[in-house]
């Protein structure tokens, strides 16, 4: 039994070595390299701008941190501009870069349906890097959530029409 | 049931007697497993076969471990060398003190036991390196290249495990993750976190590292990071002692970020 166990262990070790070598042979897809070398929309908006939503997310596995910001047209609810800043691997940078490209010109509700699998497919991300695309999806959602929270807060405070009524109601 | 117990203890005694006889040395230890516990025939058959001819066929029949049947486990509390049968004199039993044969990996020996340390976070790791080298002097595969295939396998696995143990225990972050793993707590690294204040702080630090102009500025940030790490180390140690595993996981997540910043600083320097 021990011999079988040892053989199995050695077999597993071989398999692990094989997959390790394979992953060393894998290289970044040209789209990832392109986004890494020519990143689109790198930058920062003013966090306190009421039309800006900021999504800040992190991946504990690799210590990556991703910030994605959207600028929304208050009247139409359309995202007119987006920018990102990511500290992480090439796949994470490329994922957030793609995310900013894809959210521009879309409605807020629309971008919530962007899935990490679409980003991963677009960049041909290997399985080990799938969490980078997940990070980008979460960043988009966080940015939208932040914008809506800001709006809700402003709605409470900046309601000039009936502050007296509010006080009366409260 | 009592009948079975009778047979199992009889088998154990027989096993030990047979085993201690020089005719039954190499290759037979622990593979003496029986499908039919209730007949002594495997043992008699074993006696005649031990000369080595039908060893392959003999092994193929066996399914159960003797350990499972004997009331006193043959391996476990009483470790014996597979090669010469000498009882283990010290723990952990990785190599025989008598014939120097490397033993198969026993996964129940955890990394702390390999280095004779208490399972605590604040263990002294100063002489870890010398202990590690001492082990490799006994286990390294280069020492057994002329030995049997079995022993070469054992040496490869055993020394790989000791290497893993050394690297895991010598770094605070991996040591923490390992300790939680021993308690059955898995740190889910794939899940996204969104702690705005903490992440904003990390973002700021990473930007500062990028913009740092000289090594003095970098050293300053490095110093700050080390300070943060040490406070999170303490946090982890406390949380672990009090079995507050969620807090322990949070500590590890924070540590990962600070370690990452340190790595980036080193890259830049």
């Amino acid at each position: 039994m021990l011999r079988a166990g040892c053989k199995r262990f050695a077999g597993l070790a071989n398999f692990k070595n094989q997959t390790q070598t394979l992953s060393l042979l894998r290289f970044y897809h040209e789209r990832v390299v392109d986004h890494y070398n020519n990143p689109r929309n790198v930058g920062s908006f003013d966090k306190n701008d009421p039309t800006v939503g900021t999504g800040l997310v992190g991946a504990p596995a690799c210590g990556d941190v991703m910030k994605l910001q959207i600028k929304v047209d208050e009247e139409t609810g359309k995202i007119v501009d987006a920018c990102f800043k990511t500290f992480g691997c090439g796949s994470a940078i490329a994922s957030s870069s793609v995310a900013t490209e894809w959210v521009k010109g879309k409605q807020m509700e629309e971008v919530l349906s962007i899935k990490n699998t679409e980003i991963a497919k677009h960049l041909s991300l290997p399985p080990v890097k799938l969490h980078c695309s997940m990070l980008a999806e979460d960043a988009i959602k966080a940015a939208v959530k932040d914008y809506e929270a800001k709006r809700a807060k402003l709605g409470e405070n900046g309601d000039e029409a009936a502050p007296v009524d509010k006080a009366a109601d409260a | 049931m009592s009948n079975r117990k009778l047979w199992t203890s009889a088998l154990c005694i027989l096993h030990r007697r047979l085993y201690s006889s020089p005719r039954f040395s190499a290759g037979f230890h622990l593979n003496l497993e029986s499908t039919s516990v209730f007949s002594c025939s495997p043992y008699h058959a074993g006696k005649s076969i031990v000369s080595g001819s039908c060893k392959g066929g003999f092994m193929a029949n066996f399914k159960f471990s003797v350990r499972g049947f004997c009331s006193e486990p043959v391996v476990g509390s009483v470790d014996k060398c597979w090669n010469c049968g000498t009882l283990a004199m010290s723990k952990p039993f990785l190599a025989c003190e008598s014939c120097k044969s490397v033993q198969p990996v026993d996964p129940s020996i955890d990394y702390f036991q390999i280095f004779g340390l208490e399972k605590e976070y604040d263990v002294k790791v100063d002489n870890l390196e010398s202990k590690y080298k001492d082990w490799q002097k006994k286990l390294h595969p280069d020492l057994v290249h002329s030995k049997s295939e079995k022993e070469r396998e054992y040496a490869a696995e055993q020394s790989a495990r000791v290497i893993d143990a050394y690297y895991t225990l010598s770094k605070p972050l991996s040591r923490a993750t390992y300790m939680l793993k021993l308690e059955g707590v898995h740190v889910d690294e794939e899940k996204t976190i969104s702690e705005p204040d903490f992440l904003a702080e990390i973002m700021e630090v990473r930007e500062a590292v990028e913009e740092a102009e000289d090594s003095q500025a970098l050293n300053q940030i490095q110093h700050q990071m080390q300070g943060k790490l040490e406070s999170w180390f303490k946090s982890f140690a406390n949380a672990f002692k009090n079995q507050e595993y969620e807090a322990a996981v949070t500590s590890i997540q924070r540590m990962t970020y600070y370690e990452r910043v340190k790595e980036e600083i080193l890259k830049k320097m």
Side-chain angles (χ1 to χ4, degrees), chain B residues 135-196:
Chain B
W135 271 126
Q136 293 296 17
K137 283 181 196 152
K138 296 179 181 153
L139 305 172
H140 200 274
D142 286 351
L143 300 164
V144 297
H145 69 265
S146 55
K147 301 259 177 90
S148 63
E149 188 191 326
K150 177 154 86 166
E151 192 168 353
R152 275 184 276 137
E153 253 182 53
Y154 290 165
E157 290 159 6
Q158 199 69 274
S159 68
R161 191 144 195 273
V162 170
I163 291 172
D164 204 20
Y166 171 63
Y167 282 112
T168 305
L169 292 185
S170 50
K171 293 178 298 192
L173 181 52
S174 50
R175 196 189 321 143
T177 314
Y178 179 69
M179 285 174 77
L180 279 185
K181 182 175 148 195
L182 286 178
E183 300 297 317
V185 179
H186 174 64
V187 184
D188 183 7
E189 304 186 319
E190 303 276 304
K191 212 173 84 154
T192 319
I193 63 167
S194 50
E195 307 274 328

Side-chain angles (χ1 to χ4, degrees), chain A residues 98-165:
Chain A
V98 165
T100 54
E101 280 197 308
W102 285 5
V103 300
K104 272 195 197 174
K106 291 207 173 83
Q107 295 292 125
M108 276 201 302
E109 298 74 30
E110 236 187 300
V111 304
L112 289 177
S113 60
I114 292 179
K115 288 243 124 275
N116 70 310
T117 41
E118 294 163 357
I119 301 177
K121 193 169 169 200
H122 179 79
L123 295 170
S124 300
L125 293 183
V128 55
K129 290 293 181 183
L130 276 178
H131 68 273
C132 295
S133 61
M134 193 66 225
L135 201 61
E137 183 192 316
D138 288 342
I140 296 173
K141 293 192 160 77
V144 169
K145 195 169 160 191
D146 179 62
Y147 175 76
E148 294 191 325
K150 265 179 169 173
R151 286 270 288 183
K153 230 182 187 176
L154 279 171
E156 278 177 24
N157 298 340
D159 196 350
E160 291 164 345
V164 181
D165 294 302

Side-chain angles (χ1 to χ4, degrees), chain B residues 28-213:
Chain B
F28 230 70
H29 172 71
L30 277 191
N31 287 318
L32 209 68
E33 298 149 350
S34 173
T35 49
S36 51
V37 185
F38 305 98
S39 72
C40 271
S41 43
Y43 270 95
H44 295 304
K47 250 184 164 167
S48 55
I49 286 171
V50 83
S51 49
S53 44
C54 307
K55 218 160 40 158
F58 193 47
M59 302 305 181
N61 289 329
F62 294 135
K63 291 189 188 111
F64 309 103
S65 154
V66 176
R67 194 195 295 204
F69 284 110
C70 278
S71 48
E72 258 182 277
V74 179
V75 222
S77 54
V78 185
D79 287 323
K80 255 196 222 162
C81 173
W82 61 270
N83 193 26
C84 67
T86 313
L87 289 173
M89 275 182 270
S90 60
K91 283 195 165 185
F93 188 50
L94 306 184
C96 178
E97 294 91 354
S98 169
C99 68
K100 311 293 177 202
S101 291
V102 181
Q103 303 300 308
V105 165
D106 178 3
S108 67
I109 303 175
D110 65 50
Y111 291 172
F112 288 94
Q113 288 168 320
I114 290 178
F115 288 102
L117 295 167
E118 291 298 316
K119 203 169 30 173
E120 278 170 3
Y121 190 60
D122 302 323
V123 283
K124 297 275 172 286
V125 292
D126 316 323
N127 53 354
L128 211 63
E129 195 180 348
S130 60
K131 280 187 196 167
Y132 159 68
K133 286 185 178 160
D134 284 340
W135 271 126
Q136 293 296 17
K137 283 181 196 152
K138 296 179 181 153
L139 305 172
H140 200 274
D142 286 351
L143 300 164
V144 297
H145 69 265
S146 55
K147 301 259 177 90
S148 63
E149 188 191 326
K150 177 154 86 166
E151 192 168 353
R152 275 184 276 137
E153 253 182 53
Y154 290 165
E157 290 159 6
Q158 199 69 274
S159 68
R161 191 144 195 273
V162 170
I163 291 172
D164 204 20
Y166 171 63
Y167 282 112
T168 305
L169 292 185
S170 50
K171 293 178 298 192
L173 181 52
S174 50
R175 196 189 321 143
T177 314
Y178 179 69
M179 285 174 77
L180 279 185
K181 182 175 148 195
L182 286 178
E183 300 297 317
V185 179
H186 174 64
V187 184
D188 183 7
E189 304 186 319
E190 303 276 304
K191 212 173 84 154
T192 319
I193 63 167
S194 50
E195 307 274 328
D197 298 327
F198 172 65
L199 288 175
E201 178 203 330
I202 294 290
M203 202 86 187
E204 262 185 55
V205 174
R206 293 292 296 263
E207 282 170 357
V209 169
E210 270 209 11
E211 290 161 14
E213 312 243 301

